[in-house]
Amino acid sequence: MTETPSTDALPASWPWLEKLVGIDTTSRDSNLPLIELVAERVRGLGLEPQIFHDDGGTKANLIVTVPAADGSRSGGVMLSGHTDVVPVDGQKWQSDPFTATVRDGRVYGRGTCDMKAFSAVALTLLPQFVEAELAQPLHLALSYDEEVGCLGGAQIVKQIADLGLAPRLCVVGEPTTMQVIRAHKSINVLRIVFTGVAAHSSLTPQGVNAIEYAARFVTTARRMADDWRENGPFDEAYPVPYTTMSVNRIDGGIAQNTVPDRCVVEMEFRSIAAVEPTDVVDRLRTTVDDLRASMQAENPAADAELEILAMVPGLDTPADAAAIGDVAAWGGVPSEGKVTYGTEAGQFSGSGIETVVCGPGDIAQAHAADEYVELAQIEECEAFMSRLLAHLSQGGEA
Ligand SMILES: [Zn+2]
């Protein structure tokens, strides 16, 4: 094990990475200290950061554009990163998770891999983009609350549209070991609350059993999941080549001798492109509607409601999209694979921007204790961004 080497052995992006990791941006907390630091620095470069707060005012998205030499702010390339990180609660770390620490050719720290290294590289290269005579603009988009349902991403695509930026291409820098990933599944999280009527369990006709109705719902959900598994549609590029769905939490009842008046079911499904998430939600809603009708036939006070907690769209950029060739030309590693984790890329794609996922680090290290990114990965990302800079400077079709 080696200590943090002298700074001349570290990649150019080290100062930014150290700063970003040093600001605890766990999703439950504010990301404003990080946003304010970035805003101050980019103002120092003569740029005008656009800051959009969430409803609570404790979090914000930041969008900054390096205009083309002719002043144009529309078109060009967007780099996208989320600012938040997952909690370290209950994890055993060898070094302080909020102090970027170099050991054995790796930088350890929460968010090093997912995904502050990418943002650090972009911020490090930003002055060079400002100095260059860009033929087309470069945009940097930093979002909040990606880890809790891509909430900032849903807003940022609207904010990009409102600003009229219309980038032709977006690179979401989630860890892919710099592979060019063009597709991932959608992620949809639902909660269904069954409200029955409590009664002494010797008097079942006077009650409406919330757990029993919830159980019927769970059975229906499992049948749908089994049908996808057996009959497709299939997409063999995924490790699990079909749409999955599972009920992952259930909570109901208070005592063995009381008919339960409440049961809460939490579930998620992850769809491939051939399955439309809103159709799945509609089917589940129909099931809930039918169950509610049966419950209310027993007692009109009963109820059942389906609530959508998050719907993060999937990504399915065509294999022959120009963005894929471009990102590969800048050093992204070509890949046939599709990934199982969700990102903001589906939101960008859904707003009409050709989008790929490509960033330093391995997703296997994300969210874990002793999260790290290889120094070599950071250097690869720096080389990638230098090629992007050259491309945009040369007036290439971006
Ligand atoms: Zn991430």
Side-chain angles (χ1 to χ4, degrees):
M1 200 174 286
T2 53
E3 290 302 304
T4 297
S6 68
T7 46
D8 48 284
L10 292 168
S13 304
W14 169 256
W16 260 118
L17 183 56
E18 192 180 29
K19 273 191 204 75
L20 296 182
V21 172
I23 303 172
D24 177 355
T25 50
T26 305
S27 308
R28 63 182 168 230
D29 299 322
S30 172
N31 73 340
L32 292 182
L34 188 153
I35 291 293
E36 281 158 12
L37 172 73
V38 172
E40 180 203 312
R41 294 302 185 89
V42 303
R43 280 191 200 105
L45 297 171
L47 303 173
E48 299 161 26
Q50 304 286 332
I51 297 172
F52 301 90
H53 288 86
D54 71 343
D55 289 341
T58 61
K59 297 176 182 181
N61 289 331
L62 181 148
I63 302 168
V64 63
T65 295
V66 181
D70 66 2
S72 167
R73 295 176 167 273
S74 175
V77 171
M78 175 160 277
L79 304 172
S80 154
H82 64 80
T83 59
D84 59 320
V85 296
V86 294
V88 296
D89 304 353
Q91 294 182 344
K92 215 171 146 28
W93 283 67
Q94 288 190 43
S95 54
D96 175 22
F98 298 106
T99 304
T101 307
V102 178
R103 293 194 300 271
D104 305 326
R106 300 166 169 175
V107 187
Y108 287 85
R110 172 55 82 227
T112 48
C113 167
D114 185 10
M115 56 173 289
K116 288 178 170 175
F118 179 83
S119 303
V121 173
L123 288 163
T124 302
L125 273 281
L126 205 57
Q128 294 180 41
F129 283 93
V130 173
E131 282 161 30
E133 303 259 295
L134 294 185
Q136 298 194 43
L138 176 94
H139 316 275
L140 178 61
L142 299 178
S143 64
Y144 63 88
D145 279 356
E146 191 272 347
E147 299 289 3
V148 289
C150 294
L151 308 181
Q155 298 305 316
I156 212 163
V157 293
K158 294 180 201 157
Q159 292 152 357
I160 290 163
D162 289 346
L163 292 170
L165 302 181
R168 188 185 72 68
L169 187 166
C170 176
V171 180
V172 175
E174 292 277 359
T176 66
T177 54
M178 294 306 291
Q179 291 179 84
V180 186
I181 298 294
R182 64 179 179 85
H184 63 67
K185 293 182 182 180
S186 76
I187 302 181
N188 310 275
V189 187
L190 308 173
R191 178 191 290 142
I192 304 93
V193 178
F194 293 88
T195 306
V197 175
H200 190 280
S201 59
S202 65
L203 303 168
T204 52
Q206 295 180 11
V208 179
N209 193 313
I211 291 178
E212 291 174 2
Y213 280 99
R216 293 192 203 179
F217 175 83
V218 172
T219 306
T220 302
R222 175 60 191 244
R223 261 202 304 273
M224 285 170 68
D226 285 346
D227 185 42
W228 287 317
R229 184 175 185 167
E230 285 155 26
N231 303 315
F234 297 104
D235 183 342
E236 299 296 339
Y238 284 108
V240 179
Y242 45 84
T243 299
T244 58
M245 178 156 73
S246 61
V247 173
N248 300 326
R249 283 206 75 234
I250 192 158
D251 185 21
I254 56 161
Q256 289 159 342
N257 61 355
T258 303
V259 174
D261 65 355
R262 187 174 162 87
C263 186
V264 180
V265 171
E266 289 180 352
M267 63 185 303
E268 61 141 59
F269 69 90
R270 298 181 179 228
S271 62
I272 62 172
V275 173
E276 177 54 51
T278 53
D279 292 346
V280 177
V281 172
D282 286 347
R283 286 176 66 189
L284 294 170
R285 216 186 273 286
T286 301
T287 302
V288 171
D289 289 345
D290 291 347
L291 290 169
R292 184 193 308 109
S294 299
M295 293 173 83
Q296 291 181 343
E298 288 192 45
N299 187 323
D303 199 6
E305 286 298 335
L306 181 149
E307 185 185 346
I308 296 167
L309 300 185
M311 288 186 82
V312 180
L315 174 71
D316 199 45
T317 301
D320 60 356
I324 295 184
D326 286 344
V327 173
W330 305 332
V333 181
S335 166
E336 285 301 308
K338 300 184 177 183
V339 297
T340 47
Y341 53 90
T343 76
E344 296 172 330
Q347 294 168 324
F348 284 99
S349 178
S351 75
I353 306 168
E354 251 183 33
T355 302
V356 298
V357 188
C358 181
D362 188 330
I363 193 70
Q365 272 87 51
H367 300 201
D370 293 323
E371 176 180 347
Y372 67 83
V373 62
E374 306 260 358
L375 289 171
Q377 280 286 302
I378 298 176
E379 282 158 9
E380 223 180 287
C381 186
E382 288 173 348
F384 172 89
M385 265 191 235
S386 295
R387 287 187 209 103
L388 166 61
L389 170 64
H391 179 84
L392 288 182
S393 306
Q394 287 158 6
E397 259 301 303

